[in-house]
Amino acid sequence: MSETKPRKTYDPTALERRWQVRWAESGLYKTDEDPEKTKHYALTMLPYPSGDLHVGHWYAMTPSDTRARFMRMRGFRVFFPIGFDAFGLPAENAAINRGIHPYKWTISNIENMRGQLRQMGAMFDFGSEVVTCDPEYYRWNQWFFLEFFKKGIAYRTEAPVDWCPKDNTTLAREQVVGPDRRCERCGTQVIKKNLAQWLFKITDYAEELLDFSKIEWPERVKTLQTNWIGRSEGAEIDFEVENYGPVTVFTTRPDTLFGATFFVMSPEHPAVETITTPERSDEVRAYVEKAARMSEIDRTDVTREKSGVFTGAHAINPANGEKIPVFIADYVLMGYGTGAIMAVPGQDERDWEFAEKYGLPIIRTVQPPEDFDGKAYTGDGPAINSAFLDGLNVEEAKAGMAEWLEENGKGRAAVTYRLRDWLISRQRYWGTPIPIIYCDSCGTVPVPEGDLPVLLPEDAEFMPTGESPLKRDPDFYNTQCPACGGPATRETDTMDTFMDSSWYQYRYLSPHYDAGPFDPERGEKWLPVDQYTGGIEHAVMHLLYTRFFTKAMRDLGLVSFDEPMLKLFNQGIILGEDAEKMSKSRGNVVNPQEFVDRYGSDVLRSFLMFIGPWDQGGPWDGRGIEGVSRFLRRALSLTNGGTSDAEADPSELARRTARTVKKVTEDLEAFRFNTAIAALMEHTNYLLAVRGEAGERGWNESLRTFVLLLAPFAPHHAEEMWEALGEPYSVHEQPWPGWDEALIAAEEVTLVVQVNGKLRDRMSVPADISEEDAKELALSSARVRPHVEGRELRKSVYVPGRLVNLVVK
RNA sequence: GCGAGAGUGGUGGAAUGGUAGACACGCUAGAUUUAGGAUCUAGUGCCUUCGGGCGUGCGGGUUCAAGUCCCGCCUCUCGCACCA
């Protein structure tokens, strides 16, 4: 019978508190600056201070912490900072709804969350914390803005913008989601509005942003960004429109120009009004109005029948001089390409549909294969009806036409992107003021660097009216022109909060540095980020902006590399117990605090890592957490000095220990936390079953190794066990154990015997058994014999250490 | 419609082309306990005449051997959605 000493009461919360105090007192997680070690900058996406840590924060941060701890034990100097993305709408909404100032609301949330973060027991270096609504931080947003302005990266333009009527602010293109164009934050359908806005020329970097060769990022993110940037190669072609002049189209298929039998403009195209003939104007005007009234959701419905209206005008096909009719149609979008297309029904399905409906001629310019029975043919084939291109395949014909266009001044090779410039102006209070002054005599004047930061006034009226709240604060609004000293007014828009998160990883290095956005010496030592972790939802906003920002910083001479984060891992989403997304309205929100109070941080974090592959996410299982709690209690009991019936076989103990070290190491490298914990559980069960008399050397040595392996997952429990073993503080400063590959190979192996691929027997044999002996042994097995007797042995397969397969007829 | 990913016990999930279901949850029985809880031990894919048979969404193929590779379907999830 097993005999266990009476155990101290298990109180994980007290245990964890004790170690957290000790860690804080001893400065255990102060960043290691040892220049002898290789750097590892581990970064987890900074949270928005919404009030309380959500179980999603735990799911994002604690596995990152485990990974960072693992790297630290492996001998890297690790920088693992944390901060708060503190500007943004929720603070303003809270202020509006509850009358609390956004600053007060934000700061009290941050204080609350700081306490919860400490309870997490992660190795965050709280000394480098960054809070983005702090003037010490946003001053550098303004500084970057001015640098971008000088470089021509920041510019102002009057243009229709996407506007969220609920949040009363503009949105960047990336913040408008779905076919029905909703606000990424609140889900309201966006509308168009004409406003003068500040933008960043991210499109100048479109080509470079398509190059992922210097980073190891998930394919998914790379694909999303590539599609978002949406590069199309083709040509611009100038069509002479009657009584108007040249109108340029973009096409990816210049080779089909001879088949362009009509011309289509977007209803919003500026030429429409001028070219429409008087007899067509009523119909055209009606169509334009109808298109404008139509909701975006209807406008973008692919299944809708094509419609359009003839303007009465004609354009000249530059290739053959044919007069072709000019239509307007809502399937041509002003926001893509040039807002006008040449229609080639023979090679484009939409154009075919349109041509059929309006009885327009169809000319094929690519010969479809004989068995082709469709309508528009989009595949490859020899050019026909195309004069000098005839006989060429599509690629050759494209090049041939581009050359011809260029030579004849009718067009040119061109590349178009779907990506738009990044609109950063927000008509809101709670953000970084844009450091620009407007003067009647000097125009747009940047705030001199020495006058930064332009402080956000504390007492502005921030009710949303659709106008920038700062405009109604005369002390802020009215100022002097820095150039001429005359009366002037300030820009009253604030910056998109994605500005804050585009470069925070640099500020972490020296959060109080005042000679620049970050201390270049610190940058030299730590940049770029080695491992970034966060949610996939940021694939085309934050992750694209921060790449752009780093490239712009490089062009300003601030950094010498091209990419901000070398490796990226996206964790999944943790769902409610009903396998639905957690939401207050569904009532399936899991409050981590409840579980921290009951089981402690180590159990909660280990459970979240054990639940399944980290990138998969998955539903919360309130019962499952018990299993992990049991595991950590059992692990802890290993240091209580009990004994069990069985004694460890020394070579098996050594083998299993080495195997566990290998498994956990390799799994941690690959972010496979779930199988690493499974291996630790298995090893715990084994160690419990074979603890002989206390003091047995091999067993104790194995336990010591086990505690080291446990440390990144359950840092508090491991510390407690380490102390119980009489080892010096702290387990987190110990080197990661290695393993001897030679120990892993077993002396005896279980060989599987198959007959025609079917499992018939298992035998325990020496690992180095010869093929002949293995086969002979297999044939002599009582369970195998009935299946082979009287049949011809045609072949046998021997896989050393694994199986013998006897193939009989 | 296009693109990507995924379908394995009652559940979450494991499986370099080589013992399917590791590790857990749950469940069953037993031990302990005043009781409950906790803990410990054993069992737990399905069927079975106890020999064995069948099993990784469905149908085919390659192979000595397929959850894994190939082809064709079905279902689900996530992107994108008239992009010229």
Side-chain angles (χ1 to χ4, degrees):
Chain A
M1 280 286 74
S2 47
E3 168 212 323
T4 324
K5 280 188 187 172
R7 200 189 293 144
K8 285 180 282 181
T9 320
Y10 176 65
D11 182 351
T13 334
L15 180 158
E16 292 182 354
R17 204 174 308 125
R18 198 160 61 238
W19 286 110
Q20 283 166 11
V21 168
R22 178 98 186 255
W23 291 340
E25 280 171 355
S26 64
L28 185 65
Y29 302 130
K30 222 175 143 279
T31 301
D32 182 354
E33 301 285 350
D34 185 350
E36 299 292 302
K37 294 180 182 169
T38 308
K39 71 149 187 120
H40 180 77
Y41 187 169
L43 183 66
T44 183
M45 288 181 188
L46 86 174
Y48 179 80
S50 50
D52 289 292
L53 281 189
H54 182 260
V55 74
H57 290 123
W58 278 77
Y59 195 62
M61 291 174 186
T62 55
S64 303
D65 175 61
T66 293
R67 188 70 170 19
R69 288 175 177 277
F70 166 63
M71 295 305 282
R72 172 181 178 157
M73 289 177 79
R74 289 187 102 192
F76 292 84
R77 58 183 163 93
V78 175
F79 183 48
F80 188 52
I82 189 74
F84 295 94
D85 187 15
F87 271 137
L89 274 179
E92 237 173 305
N93 290 337
I96 291 156
N97 295 332
R98 286 185 260 159
I100 317 169
H101 192 278
Y103 181 81
K104 269 182 97 172
W105 184 85
T106 305
I107 293 302
S108 96
N109 284 350
I110 288 175
E111 272 163 18
N112 191 39
M113 286 170 82
R114 268 187 198 131
Q116 293 172 343
L117 279 172
R118 287 193 187 267
Q119 256 192 315
M120 198 181 257
M123 60 172 274
F124 291 125
D125 181 353
F126 288 99
S128 30
E129 185 196 81
V130 157
V131 176
T132 60
C133 67
D134 192 329
E136 201 177 40
Y137 185 83
Y138 71 67
R139 164 185 183 184
W140 299 105
N141 279 346
Q142 295 172 339
W143 183 85
F144 275 119
F145 181 93
L146 294 177
E147 292 295 308
F148 286 2
F149 181 73
K150 270 187 252 168
K151 267 251 167 195
I153 296 171
Y155 68 98
R156 191 170 190 242
T157 187
E158 177 126 4
V161 296
D162 292 314
W163 179 270
C164 174
K166 180 153 179 272
D167 291 341
N168 259 313
T169 194
T170 53
L171 297 171
R173 177 118 184 259
E174 290 76 19
Q175 289 154 17
V176 179
V177 295
D180 48 345
R181 304 176 42 79
R182 290 177 182 279
C183 169
E184 171 260 336
R185 184 172 277 284
C186 71
T188 309
Q189 249 182 32
V190 305
I191 56 170
K192 293 275 182 198
K193 218 171 166 171
N194 224 22
L195 281 176
Q197 304 281 296
W198 285 97
L199 296 100
F200 287 161
K201 269 191 138 322
I202 191 172
T203 51
D204 277 0
Y205 292 86
E207 199 60 48
E208 200 193 338
L209 287 166
L210 286 167
D211 176 12
F212 298 95
S213 62
K214 288 172 182 147
I215 46 182
E216 286 174 53
W217 282 21
E219 281 310 316
R220 231 174 119 201
V221 175
K222 293 195 275 184
T223 306
L224 280 167
Q225 293 205 350
T226 304
N227 292 344
W228 188 259
I229 295 166
R231 181 183 200 273
S232 293
E233 217 170 295
E236 283 176 356
I237 303 177
D238 306 324
F239 281 67
E240 200 60 33
V241 176
E242 283 175 343
N243 308 319
Y244 185 79
V247 175
T248 304
V249 304
F250 174 76
T251 177
T252 54
R253 293 293 302 275
D255 60 302
T256 63
L257 181 54
F258 285 94
T261 54
F262 57 102
F263 190 97
V264 190
M265 286 179 184
S266 158
E268 297 88 4
H269 198 284
V272 172
E273 218 183 306
T274 321
I275 63 167
T276 303
T277 56
E279 57 274 24
R280 310 287 316 162
S281 71
D282 286 352
E283 213 184 323
V284 167
R285 194 172 309 121
Y287 189 85
V288 170
E289 276 168 20
K290 197 178 116 210
R293 266 201 317 274
M294 229 195 288
S295 75
E296 294 278 357
I297 197 169
D298 294 333
R299 180 98 183 248
T300 55
D301 182 359
V302 203
T303 58
R304 229 175 81 247
E305 200 187 321
K306 298 276 169 291
S307 72
V309 172
F310 178 43
T311 59
H314 288 83
I316 307 298
N317 183 331
N320 53 18
E322 295 282 331
K323 261 177 86 168
I324 59 175
V326 178
F327 281 74
I328 57 168
D330 58 13
Y331 77 91
V332 176
L333 310 172
M334 200 56 222
Y336 183 79
T338 61
I341 61 162
M342 63 180 214
V344 190
Q347 273 75 229
D348 184 283
E349 280 160 21
R350 293 159 303 171
D351 296 346
W352 181 289
E353 200 188 314
F354 196 90
E356 263 194 337
K357 182 167 175 184
Y358 294 101
L360 297 159
I362 295 169
I363 301 172
R364 286 198 193 279
T365 59
V366 179
Q367 180 66 54
E370 269 176 38
D371 57 353
F372 180 75
D373 56 1
K375 295 176 170 179
Y377 176 66
T378 54
D380 198 2
I384 50 172
N385 304 319
S386 295
F388 58 93
L389 298 176
D390 281 354
L392 301 177
N393 68 30
V394 169
E395 278 315 305
E396 293 162 349
K398 276 182 184 175
M401 179 56 84
E403 203 178 309
W404 183 89
L405 288 167
E406 206 107 27
E407 275 170 14
N408 294 276
K410 308 275 191 185
R412 61 222 68 88
V415 173
T416 290
Y417 301 92
R418 203 184 86 108
L419 182 70
R420 292 278 99 90
D421 278 337
W422 173 16
L423 191 148
I424 61 140
S425 295
R426 295 292 178 276
Q427 295 69 41
R428 303 297 303 208
Y429 166 70
W430 192 231
T432 305
I434 294 174
I436 288 289
I437 291 169
Y438 302 107
C439 168
D440 281 344
S441 37
C442 309
T444 302
V445 183
V447 172
E449 202 185 312
D451 291 354
L452 298 184
V454 176
L455 286 171
L456 190 61
E458 271 172 41
D459 50 358
E461 179 59 56
F462 41 77
M463 292 304 279
T465 60
E467 250 200 325
S468 304
L470 296 182
K471 204 167 229 163
R472 279 169 292 132
D473 181 336
D475 292 343
F476 178 87
Y477 185 52
N478 298 312
T479 187
Q480 275 190 336
C481 173
C484 68
T489 57
R490 286 191 190 276
E491 168 66 60
T492 53
D493 285 352
T494 52
M495 297 183 199
D496 180 8
T497 54
F498 276 112
M499 177 89 183
D500 308 328
S501 53
S502 290
W503 66 280
Y504 74 109
Q505 67 269 29
Y506 299 106
R507 191 65 187 167
Y508 275 148
L509 299 172
S510 48
H512 308 297
Y513 187 68
D514 63 3
F518 67 94
D519 180 347
E521 251 176 68
R522 305 283 301 147
E524 202 55 48
K525 202 163 172 189
W526 288 103
L527 293 172
V529 171
D530 294 285
Q531 180 67 59
Y532 199 29
T533 57
I536 187 77
E537 67 273 19
H538 293 109
V540 285
M541 290 190 272
H542 165 59
L543 288 174
L544 195 62
Y545 294 144
T546 192
R547 289 183 68 214
F548 153 70
F549 223 91
T550 291
K551 291 171 195 303
M553 283 169 73
R554 175 203 59 202
D555 293 346
L556 293 171
L558 291 168
V559 295
S560 55
F561 45 85
D562 306 306
E563 294 282 356
M565 294 110 181
L566 301 179
K567 290 184 183 176
L568 172 70
F569 192 99
N570 296 114
Q571 81 273 356
I573 300 169
I574 193 91
L575 304 169
E577 221 151 1
D578 53 2
E580 299 284 341
K581 217 176 154 186
M582 285 191 202
S583 75
K584 277 187 193 150
S585 56
R586 278 204 188 85
N588 62 350
V589 176
V590 173
N591 177 9
Q593 197 57 46
E594 209 178 290
F595 292 90
V596 177
D597 292 344
R598 190 141 109 228
Y599 298 101
S601 160
D602 281 355
V603 168
L604 179 56
R605 55 187 278 154
S606 301
F607 171 63
L608 288 168
M609 287 185 263
F610 182 62
I611 208 165
W614 194 34
D615 52 351
Q616 233 168 73
W620 172 266
D621 177 3
R623 288 178 309 192
I625 195 168
E626 281 289 349
V628 176
S629 175
R630 251 174 284 200
F631 157 59
L632 285 184
R633 267 175 287 165
R634 283 159 67 85
L636 201 58
S637 79
L638 284 166
T639 52
N640 283 353
T643 57
S644 57
D645 294 347
E647 282 279 340
D649 164 27
S651 70
E652 197 193 352
L653 178 69
R655 182 166 62 250
R656 294 182 80 132
T657 304
R659 277 187 182 166
T660 306
V661 174
K662 181 178 181 178
K663 175 81 181 146
V664 173
T665 305
E666 291 175 353
D667 282 351
L668 275 178
E669 270 171 11
F671 296 89
R672 288 188 302 253
F673 304 103
N674 58 328
T675 47
I677 291 177
L680 289 173
M681 287 175 167
E682 201 172 354
H683 199 54
T684 302
N685 294 341
Y686 170 75
L687 287 176
L688 273 173
V690 300
R691 58 173 162 188
E693 290 303 317
E696 211 276 308
R697 247 190 93 237
W699 192 89
N700 280 343
E701 188 49 40
S702 180
L703 175 58
R704 190 181 175 278
T705 303
F706 170 81
V707 175
L708 294 171
L709 297 181
L710 183 68
F713 299 92
H716 310 83
H717 282 70
E719 200 79 276
E720 186 81 7
M721 292 173 75
W722 192 246
E723 187 184 53
L725 290 177
E727 298 280 356
Y729 178 82
S730 153
V731 68
H732 303 296
E733 293 183 303
Q734 305 305 315
W736 189 252
W739 71 89
D740 181 354
E741 198 66 45
L743 278 179
I744 284 175
E747 292 157 24
E748 287 256 304
V749 292
T750 302
L751 210 57
V752 167
V753 184
Q754 297 179 335
V755 178
N756 291 346
K758 262 195 188 320
L759 174 75
R760 293 301 175 189
D761 198 9
R762 298 183 168 95
M763 12 183 243
S764 192
V765 299
D768 56 356
I769 190 171
S770 72
E771 181 168 355
E772 288 70 32
D773 292 350
K775 222 181 290 177
E776 204 169 304
L777 208 57
L779 282 165
S780 69
S781 151
R783 311 181 76 125
V784 171
R785 241 180 293 138
H787 299 280
V788 292
E789 253 164 8
R791 306 171 79 176
E792 183 198 342
L793 182 66
R794 301 179 63 189
K795 184 180 177 177
S796 70
V797 179
Y798 174 61
V799 182
R802 290 220 179 251
L803 59 78
V804 176
N805 188 11
L806 304 167
V807 184
V808 297
K809 198 177 184 181

